Amino acid sequence: MTTPLLVQALAALSVPALAGATVLGLRGRRARAGAAAGAQRLRGRIAELEERCAELERTASCDPLTGVWNYRHLQLTLDREIERARRAEHTEQADGPRPLAVLMLAITGFDAVVAEHGRGRAGAVLRDLAQRLAMEIRRADTLGRYGGEEFLVVLPDTGAEGAAQVAERLVWSVRRHLLLDWSSGQRESRPAAGNGLTAAAGIAVLPEDGTHAAVLLRAADAALAAARAAGGDCWRLSAQPAGELDRPREDRPGQGARTAGHGAEADRDPSGKTGSLSACVGRDPLAQPVATHTPATAAGHRDVLS
């Protein structure tokens, strides 16, 4: 076969091969484009599922009425912080567990709010107050609804003195918080004696009051009962000698209590500091920032509202 004939034969045979290669190339590009589009859709779907998962986790951990953390999240947080505090005992830098305080806060006076405004509006008042309390703690702290009108605050790396300052601030905030007003006219001025709501707080500290969540909560609840027995609007430490509870409130060192009287005098303690609830601290919690607790936003069961 001569050379021109051989070239013609090879050219004739290469046409189908080139056509096949072109078709395969087009199919490959289409396959790659389809795979890229599928990967993009898959990434979008994964992002959507992650967003929904985060929303479900947030919903599962937040109290629907107040918007703060719920009882389940409080349990998990307390267990985690106790374990973290106890691990420090076995490190070279620490000679004992890291301090951890638990503060139980009970608000009274919501029966009157429910009677006057109904449960729906009273729930809005409780939510507004809970959000206000969440601003009085550090970002590292955890405030949640423990049950009804009771709240629990977990305070990592905080001893009895720091927890007492936080309790004083929270009790003062409950008494002086400006409640929601649904009137269409001019807002009435805040009553001199407060808003009708008061709070009692009980404090338990690790390791003095226990190294287990149930023990700490029981100690905080006992301290809360002592604060309620003292008339409320005060706080109590769990590790207090029994004889101290029999002394008049104004004579007890280290325990917050309001003095007798009305108006401005009701907000003064024996030290003469307006807004201070205890002679042991002797400072206005809002006029002077607490050294170990700077305000920050945070993100149960016996209840007259739910």
Side-chain angles (χ1 to χ4, degrees):
M1 182 179 293
T2 63
T3 301
L5 293 177
L6 181 60
V7 170
Q8 291 177 1
L10 292 175
L13 293 174
S14 64
V15 170
L18 290 175
T22 303
V23 171
L24 289 176
L26 290 174
R27 288 181 178 176
R29 283 197 295 271
R30 290 175 182 174
R32 287 193 296 271
Q40 182 65 27
R41 289 194 299 269
L42 183 60
R43 285 192 294 267
R45 182 59 176 168
I46 290 175
E48 181 183 355
L49 291 176
E50 288 178 346
E51 183 179 353
R52 290 186 178 182
C53 183
E55 178 66 18
L56 287 175
E57 289 181 356
R58 187 193 67 81
T59 303
S61 299
C62 285
D63 178 64
L65 178 62
T66 61
V68 297
W69 299 117
N70 62 12
Y71 181 79
R72 172 182 173 273
H73 185 82
L74 287 172
Q75 285 183 313
L76 296 175
T77 301
L78 183 57
D79 289 338
R80 183 180 66 248
E81 291 298 338
I82 289 177
E83 181 62 26
R84 174 173 168 266
R86 295 179 63 181
R87 277 201 306 267
E89 187 176 7
H90 305 290
T91 63
E92 297 178 0
Q93 294 82 5
D95 5 353
R98 302 179 68 171
L100 172 69
V102 176
L103 190 155
M104 194 173 294
L105 185 80
I107 303 173
T108 57
F110 266 99
D111 290 338
V113 178
V114 172
E116 182 178 357
H117 299 289
R119 294 181 183 273
R121 288 185 171 181
V125 170
L126 184 62
R127 178 184 180 87
D128 183 58
L129 181 57
Q131 295 297 320
R132 179 69 182 88
L133 294 177
M135 297 175 63
E136 297 296 337
I137 62 174
R138 302 172 303 180
R139 191 176 298 274
D141 301 333
T142 302
L143 178 140
R145 189 181 181 206
Y146 190 68
E149 291 79 51
E150 293 184 359
F151 295 87
L152 189 73
V153 188
V154 180
L155 304 167
D157 301 318
T158 304
E161 182 179 355
Q165 295 183 49
V166 177
E168 183 170 339
R169 181 185 291 272
L170 295 181
V171 171
W172 193 95
S173 297
V174 170
R175 173 159 44 91
R176 301 301 296 170
H177 181 62
L178 192 60
L179 300 183
L180 297 174
D181 187 3
W182 292 277
S183 61
S184 57
Q186 185 177 2
R187 189 184 184 104
E188 297 182 0
S189 59
R190 177 165 47 186
N195 54 25
L197 301 180
T198 58
I203 301 171
V205 181
L206 182 147
E208 289 84 352
D209 298 314
T211 56
H212 189 274
V215 178
L216 283 175
L217 290 174
R218 188 160 57 245
D221 190 50
L224 175 61
R228 282 172 162 168
D233 203 10
C234 60
W235 51 267
R236 290 291 183 269
L237 288 169
S238 174
Q240 181 183 26
E244 291 289 319
L245 296 179
D246 299 329
R247 298 171 58 184
R249 279 186 291 172
E250 59 273 15
D251 294 333
R252 293 177 194 156
Q255 303 296 314
R258 290 181 63 184
T259 57
H262 301 280
E265 291 301 319
D267 294 334
R268 297 181 179 273
D269 70 332
S271 66
K273 299 287 187 179
T274 303
S276 181
L277 303 178
S278 68
C280 67
V281 178
R283 291 195 299 268
D284 184 350
L286 298 186
Q288 183 172 350
V290 178
T292 57
H293 290 82
T294 55
T297 56
H301 316 298
R302 295 192 296 270
D303 196 356
V304 299
L305 300 178
S306 60

